[in-house]
Amino acid sequence: MYKKNEGIRNVAVLCAILLIFGIALFGCFGQIRNSLQQQLMSSIEGMAEQNEILIEKEVSTRFRLLSSLAREFSDGDESIFVDRLQGFVETYQFKRMGYIASDGIAQTTDGYHLDMSDRETFRQSMQGKQRLTDTFEDQIDGSDEIVNAFSVPVYEKDQKTVKGVLFATGRYEMFEGCLQNEIFEGQAFNYIVKMDGMIIAASGNSREWGIGKNIFTADISADENDDAAKSRMISDMKSGKSGYGMDPKRKEVSLYYYMPLKIEETGDEWYVVTAASESVLTNRMQVVMDAINSLIVIILVIISVSVGVYIYSWRKSKKELISLAYQDPVTLGDNFAAFKEKAKSKKDGAGWLAAMDLADFKLINSTCGVKKGDEVLRAVSEIFENEKGDNELVAHVNADRFVLFWMEENQDAIKERLERVIKKIEEIPERLEIPNLFPVFGIYHTMVLDEIDPLYGNAVLAKHQIKGRRDRHYMFYDELNHESIQENRELEDHFEMALEKEEFEIWYQPKYSAHTRKLVGAEALVRWRRQDGSLIPPLKFIPLFERNGNIIRLDEYVFRAVCRQQKAWQEQGQKMFPVSVNISRVSLYYSNVVEKYESIIRSYDLDSKYIQLEITESATIDNNEIFNLLEQFHTAGFKILLDDFGSGYSSLSTLNRMHFDTIKLDKSLVDYIGDDNGEKLLNSITKLAQSFGMEITAEGVETVEQLMFLCNLDCDDIQGYYFSRPLPVREYEECLKEACM
């Protein structure tokens, strides 16, 4: 009887243990699933935000182009103007562009003349509105190709009366390209939908929803009795809100996130929707499930032998499961979640938290492939792991971002370690046969590792201050000027409006012949005049825009403005002098920079001899393609000036390796005049440059003694306050008139 009761008790104990184990296992499984699901939803939201940025950027770029062309067309000839549009069709990948007169008759770049008076976009643009249509089938050429139409009003000279409409037909591939994704192995789908649920565009891999379908009538929820998800989505869209949706019963589209597209030209009725199938989560759970199944079999065997062994094994398995949630899938080291957990358990939190990423890492993924990019990340992670000391931490955050926690007493020790790992990272490209790597660090000193996110945010803020620069690898948070950061943010926020309102003015600093003292040209400089009339000096915004990439658009703005002004002077019969325009080193990193500038000057029908290009020598230091770019610019007919020669970057070997037409002696060299050694240096530099067939322009000339010395060196041109300060366009026009007298 006792044995029977004992057997029953043992069975009961085993059943209880199995029950407890089952409950614990289920809870652990659910916890991991929820964690993975949250990460998945966060990734979906991040993709939706990226899609929103790409779409809005593509749309705004094309509307800025059309608006700019519309302003130029205010007093232009229709037929000539339409012919000029062909270059923009190819550059901006339109299907066609055209002009619709006030009577509705349109001329297009592909040779069509047709009545478009019944088009809604025509009517609205004639009322002064910019419009972007939904996708529709192109009936003009009978191709039934899916397209969108962009339209802007064209005003009379008074800028009050609309005289016609400029339009461009965008190919569907523009939106489809913005919606492509590289995550979840193609199991994520992107859409642009209207507020009423109609799908305007879809990514190429989309299978369940397509163009022309309505996501609401397609039954978001598979359960006809549960319309909560659909109702919430409809309500959110009407209110302009973002939101999540989830339906595990649906296989193709079970997790989705929607957010509004801020495109006024569509009436703010467009939404971007990113969705993923249940298989994404299932696949991620498969590893966990396999481990759980194996553990169940092992534990059942162990239970039959000993309850104690079972308990031990269960605890061990739980520990292994939790570890799966904290391992980075690329580097196989700690992920950010693990970093946070380990930081919480550290008793001594005094040290240095560093945020690191690799400048232009996306170029490696795009040119060498994602697999090679992952190999690079593993190599970087290995360097950090080898550098990590006791009680120190390292983790891969995401993409090319890493976070480090080092324990050192002072900045000098941290700098020494940074220089060591930077050198090792810079050795990776030769070993893996990839483009050069440029690691960037932001470092924050902390006394307590309590809340990692704000500490990491401070390190990221420091890193962003040098992101895009090539002269520094790291910055400490203590170095930041927070008042300056706020001021820079305001300038960044106002940049788009400043371009639209043409707040950037072109000033001209005249250049004079060293021998005849006559005007021979000018350098175009940019000034930012705010609406209140105040001028922002270039040193305030040029370095900022070089870091955040806005300098590319500013360079193009200045180049267009100078071309437009030169063409106006030519048409007025004014004597023409060449004007040099600066191109920043950031602009030179884009492969199509030569084609872009050549296209702009051709659009103004202007001879390239009237526009020269100035490139600072610092731009030649870390750009391996600069030699080819110079040759391409020369082939296009541009003269190239080497600016700021002698400012600190100069290497005489540059004159031998690269073909420049003119070198501009920096003011720092000109200021040497009066010093014997400095004058010998100037004499040597000018003789060497002249022996290569280059002309010499001296910058910053302020005294007659400097002028006479430079004349004796056979310097060609003089630029500086001795002759003239930089002048607004009207004052420079007076110089042009005097030069013709």
Side-chain angles (χ1 to χ4, degrees):
M1 187 68 179
Y2 173 78
K3 291 183 178 180
K4 182 178 181 181
N5 290 337
E6 184 180 10
I8 294 174
R9 186 169 58 251
N10 289 338
V11 170
V13 170
L14 289 175
C15 290
I17 292 174
L18 287 173
L19 178 61
I20 294 172
F21 169 71
I23 295 174
L25 188 63
F26 180 79
C28 186
F29 172 76
Q31 180 182 0
I32 296 173
R33 180 183 176 86
N34 290 337
S35 176
L36 292 175
Q37 191 175 74
Q38 289 299 320
Q39 292 181 19
L40 175 60
M41 294 304 293
S42 178
S43 298
I44 292 174
E45 180 180 355
M47 172 168 284
E49 291 174 349
Q50 292 178 20
N51 291 337
E52 177 204 19
I53 293 171
L54 285 174
I55 294 167
E56 291 175 0
K57 180 179 180 181
E58 289 292 333
V59 171
S60 63
T61 297
R62 283 156 176 79
F63 272 115
R64 282 195 299 271
L65 168 69
L66 294 177
S67 297
S68 175
L69 293 173
R71 286 194 295 271
E72 296 178 22
F73 188 43
S74 294
D75 57 352
D77 180 80
E78 298 176 8
S79 59
I80 297 176
F81 183 76
V82 171
D83 290 340
R84 283 180 53 199
L85 294 178
Q86 185 59 47
F88 295 99
V89 171
E90 298 171 356
T91 302
Y92 288 83
Q93 298 180 335
F94 290 126
K95 182 175 183 180
R96 70 172 64 86
M97 296 178 70
Y99 173 75
I100 312 174
S102 59
D103 59 0
I105 302 303
Q107 298 181 51
T108 70
T109 53
D110 49 358
Y112 291 99
H113 292 261
L114 60 157
D115 186 355
M116 301 181 70
S117 59
D118 60 339
R119 303 291 177 92
E120 182 64 22
T121 53
F122 167 70
R123 297 196 194 98
Q124 292 189 8
S125 292
M126 286 298 294
Q127 296 175 9
K129 299 179 181 178
Q130 295 185 355
R131 300 302 297 168
L132 170 59
T133 69
D134 301 339
T135 52
F136 60 91
E137 294 182 352
D138 187 4
Q139 300 296 332
I140 292 180
D141 59 3
S143 64
D144 293 337
E145 181 180 352
I146 301 299
V147 295
N148 299 79
F150 298 75
S151 64
V152 298
V154 178
Y155 290 89
E156 298 283 2
K157 290 183 180 180
D158 59 8
Q159 295 299 311
K160 295 180 180 179
T161 305
V162 179
K163 73 172 187 177
V165 174
L166 178 63
F167 75 93
T169 301
R171 298 183 184 275
Y172 173 73
E173 285 79 2
M174 180 190 76
F175 287 129
E176 188 179 41
C178 293
L179 297 174
Q180 295 305 318
N181 68 82
E182 297 181 358
I183 67 171
F184 306 148
E185 299 178 350
Q187 295 299 307
F189 318 113
N190 299 302
Y191 309 90
I192 300 175
V193 302
K194 292 188 67 176
M195 199 178 295
D196 61 6
M198 290 302 297
I199 296 176
I200 295 173
S203 55
N205 65 333
S206 177
R207 297 195 297 271
E208 182 155 348
W209 296 343
I211 296 178
K213 289 188 177 181
N214 188 296
I215 61 174
F216 297 143
T217 59
D219 292 330
I220 295 173
S221 175
D223 187 350
E224 296 180 355
N225 297 319
D226 184 9
D227 293 332
K230 178 166 63 177
S231 299
R232 183 172 63 254
M233 188 174 184
I234 293 173
S235 175
D236 285 348
M237 285 189 173
K238 288 182 178 179
S239 304
K241 298 179 181 178
S242 302
Y244 289 98
M246 180 172 60
D247 181 10
K249 298 178 182 179
R250 195 174 184 86
K251 294 183 178 180
E252 292 297 334
V253 181
S254 58
L255 304 169
Y256 51 90
Y257 179 80
Y258 48 91
M259 64 185 301
L261 281 169
K262 301 178 181 65
I263 303 176
E264 296 180 1
E265 292 81 5
T266 66
D268 293 328
E269 292 185 351
W270 287 13
Y271 263 72
V272 60
V273 178
T274 295
S277 67
E278 175 68 13
S279 61
V280 175
L281 185 59
T282 302
N283 292 338
R284 289 169 179 253
M285 286 296 298
Q286 190 60 48
V287 176
V288 179
M289 288 297 298
D290 291 344
I292 292 175
N293 291 333
S294 299
L295 289 172
I296 290 175
V297 174
I298 295 172
I299 291 173
L300 287 174
V301 174
I302 294 176
I303 288 177
S304 65
V305 178
S306 170
V307 173
V309 175
Y310 163 74
I311 294 174
Y312 170 78
S313 300
W314 178 80
R315 289 179 177 176
K316 182 180 179 181
S317 66
K318 184 178 178 180
K319 184 177 180 181
E320 291 176 353
L321 289 173
I322 293 176
S323 70
L324 291 175
Y326 295 107
Q327 185 180 65
D328 181 75
V330 177
T331 65
L332 301 182
D334 286 345
N335 61 15
F336 198 28
F339 186 93
K340 293 179 180 179
E341 287 298 318
K342 291 182 179 180
K344 290 179 182 178
S345 63
K346 287 186 63 63
K347 295 181 179 179
D348 184 4
W352 307 81
L353 193 75
M356 190 284 286
D357 66 22
L358 301 169
D360 299 324
F361 179 74
K362 61 183 179 181
L363 294 178
I364 295 177
N365 281 334
S366 61
T367 58
C368 303
V370 175
K371 185 176 180 181
K372 179 65 74 172
D374 289 346
E375 189 176 352
V376 172
L377 295 177
R378 285 190 287 271
V380 173
S381 178
E382 183 179 353
I383 291 173
F384 289 145
E385 289 290 348
N386 292 336
E387 179 66 26
K388 183 178 69 173
D390 294 339
N391 295 321
E392 294 184 339
L393 304 175
V394 59
H396 179 215
V397 180
N398 55 41
D400 59 318
R401 300 177 183 88
F402 288 82
V403 59
L404 315 169
F405 177 71
W406 286 347
M407 302 178 70
E408 294 290 349
E409 294 183 358
N410 53 58
Q411 280 193 9
D412 291 338
I414 289 294
K415 289 179 180 179
E416 182 179 345
R417 293 182 68 177
L418 286 172
E419 294 293 345
R420 186 161 60 245
V421 298
I422 288 169
K423 182 178 180 181
K424 291 180 179 179
I425 291 173
E426 290 178 337
E427 293 172 354
I428 293 175
E430 182 177 357
R431 173 159 50 91
L432 298 184
E433 298 181 348
I434 59 171
N436 291 336
L437 296 177
F438 194 93
V440 183
F441 295 81
I443 307 99
Y444 179 76
H445 184 248
T446 178
M447 299 303 296
V448 180
L449 279 179
D450 47 5
E451 294 293 333
I452 293 298
D453 287 329
L455 303 180
Y456 179 67
N458 290 337
V460 170
L461 181 61
K463 179 185 67 176
H464 282 172
Q465 302 311 304
I466 57 172
K467 193 71 180 292
R469 293 168 54 176
R470 293 282 172 163
D471 58 335
R472 291 190 65 172
H473 282 282
Y474 53 84
M475 173 174 277
F476 290 86
Y477 182 82
D478 293 342
E479 299 179 65
L480 299 183
N481 182 332
H482 295 280
E483 182 177 344
S484 174
I485 291 173
Q486 180 60 33
E487 183 179 355
N488 287 344
R489 285 176 178 169
E490 293 177 0
L491 293 178
E492 289 178 320
D493 292 341
H494 195 72
F495 177 72
E496 294 290 344
M497 184 179 296
L499 283 181
E500 182 178 345
K501 295 183 178 296
E502 299 184 350
E503 293 182 3
F504 294 103
E505 297 180 356
I506 309 303
W507 288 39
Y508 296 82
Q509 183 163 29
K511 300 177 186 177
Y512 290 85
S513 168
H515 304 290
T516 66
R517 311 295 198 272
K518 292 184 178 181
L519 182 71
V520 294
E523 177 183 358
L525 305 171
V526 63
R527 301 290 187 268
W528 188 350
R529 189 179 298 278
R530 300 296 295 268
Q531 294 295 310
D532 60 4
S534 62
L535 273 178
I536 303 176
L539 287 178
K540 280 280 188 181
F541 60 88
I542 294 295
L544 171 65
F545 293 160
E546 285 181 338
R547 291 197 298 272
N548 64 22
N550 285 339
I551 193 66
I552 298 171
R553 294 174 57 197
L554 184 59
D555 282 350
E556 184 177 340
Y557 174 94
V558 173
F559 188 80
R560 285 184 183 276
V562 172
C563 288
R564 184 165 53 249
Q565 184 63 67
Q566 286 284 72
K567 186 62 178 179
W569 283 331
Q570 186 180 60
E571 292 175 346
Q572 294 168 11
Q574 181 69 58
K575 183 178 180 180
M576 298 294 289
F577 294 98
V579 175
S580 60
V581 180
N582 291 279
I583 299 183
S584 69
R585 63 176 187 160
V586 181
S587 294
L588 295 174
Y589 276 100
Y590 286 81
S591 58
N592 66 338
V593 62
V594 178
E595 292 85 347
K596 179 185 289 185
Y597 279 72
E598 186 178 11
S599 173
I600 293 172
I601 197 171
R602 284 181 178 176
S603 70
Y604 287 95
D605 192 24
L606 191 65
D607 195 318
S608 56
K609 68 181 180 181
Y610 297 127
I611 304 289
Q612 300 174 344
L613 302 178
E614 295 196 15
I615 298 174
T616 60
E617 189 170 7
S618 62
T620 69
I621 300 301
D622 55 3
N623 191 334
N624 296 327
E625 298 298 322
I626 190 66
F627 180 82
N628 292 332
L629 285 175
L630 294 181
E631 293 303 312
Q632 292 176 40
F633 275 125
H634 279 124
T635 301
F638 292 102
K639 282 192 173 183
I640 308 298
L641 285 60
L642 179 60
D643 194 17
D644 296 337
F645 187 84
S647 62
Y649 296 95
S650 299
S651 168
L652 294 179
S653 63
T654 302
L655 303 182
N656 181 45
R657 290 186 295 107
M658 300 180 187
H659 179 200
F660 291 96
D661 300 286
T662 300
I663 68 168
K664 299 186 70 176
L665 301 177
D666 188 72
K667 185 179 185 302
S668 61
L669 284 179
V670 173
D671 288 342
Y672 281 147
I673 296 175
D675 176 81
D676 289 342
N677 290 332
E679 290 180 352
K680 291 178 181 178
L681 176 62
L682 271 172
N683 183 68
S684 299
I685 291 174
T686 54
K687 296 303 182 189
L688 177 61
Q690 288 166 346
S691 70
F692 289 144
M694 300 179 185
E695 296 183 354
I696 307 294
T697 296
E699 298 181 287
V701 178
E702 298 179 348
T703 67
V704 66
E705 291 80 12
Q706 291 174 338
L707 176 64
M708 297 308 298
F709 181 83
L710 294 167
C711 287
N712 291 334
L713 290 181
D714 287 330
C715 182
D716 297 284
D717 303 331
I718 302 296
Q719 182 179 334
Y721 278 32
Y722 179 82
F723 283 110
S724 175
R725 60 180 176 82
L727 303 173
V729 62
R730 298 307 174 199
E731 294 184 28
Y732 179 65
E733 285 181 334
E734 296 300 321
C735 290
L736 293 178
K737 293 177 182 178
E738 292 177 3
C740 298
M741 295 178 62

